[in-house]
Amino acid sequence: KAVADRSCQKLLENGNRIPFSALRFEDSTKSVCSAKDGGAKEQAAGGIEVPKTEEGAENWVRLYDANGRFAGIYCRQEIQAELKPVKIFLEKD
């Protein structure tokens, strides 16, 4: 689980990548996705099936905005030190 600072709310709303410097990570040992029958798909939050990516589902985290609203599933990009959106669920106010 990752929580984004208020300073990057616009980045969240627009579906942009979020730099690690604007995040607070919590429960990083929990996996966001679990394998489904060993197939080529993974199951994400809400039972949504998404194809495995080259980054691997083990790098996916749930991202929340500063108010605690679920924003979506993001993939850790360690080299670029940012989170890349995989599936966005955040609705604008």
Side-chain angles (χ1 to χ4, degrees), residues 33-43 47-49 52:
C33 303
S34 58
K36 185 175 183 179
D37 299 328
K41 293 193 175 205
E42 296 285 331
Q43 188 170 2
I48 297 168
E49 287 187 2
K52 285 186 178 179

Side-chain angles (χ1 to χ4, degrees), residues 9-56:
Q9 186 64 29
K10 274 292 190 206
L11 294 174
L12 281 174
E13 291 173 359
N14 292 331
N16 296 16
R17 295 172 184 233
I18 310 295
F20 285 173
S21 60
L23 300 170
R24 183 179 76 248
F25 289 97
E26 303 172 357
D27 271 344
S28 60
T29 57
K30 285 187 177 179
S31 176
V32 172
C33 303
S34 58
K36 185 175 183 179
D37 299 328
K41 293 193 175 205
E42 296 285 331
Q43 188 170 2
I48 297 168
E49 287 187 2
V50 289
K52 285 186 178 179
T53 62
E54 61 189 45
E55 295 89 9

Side-chain angles (χ1 to χ4, degrees), residues 74-88:
Y74 281 68
C75 182
R76 288 177 184 250
Q77 302 286 303
E78 298 295 337
I79 295 172
Q80 295 91 353
E82 63 189 10
L83 292 182
K84 174 182 160 185
V86 174
K87 180 71 177 174
I88 299 172

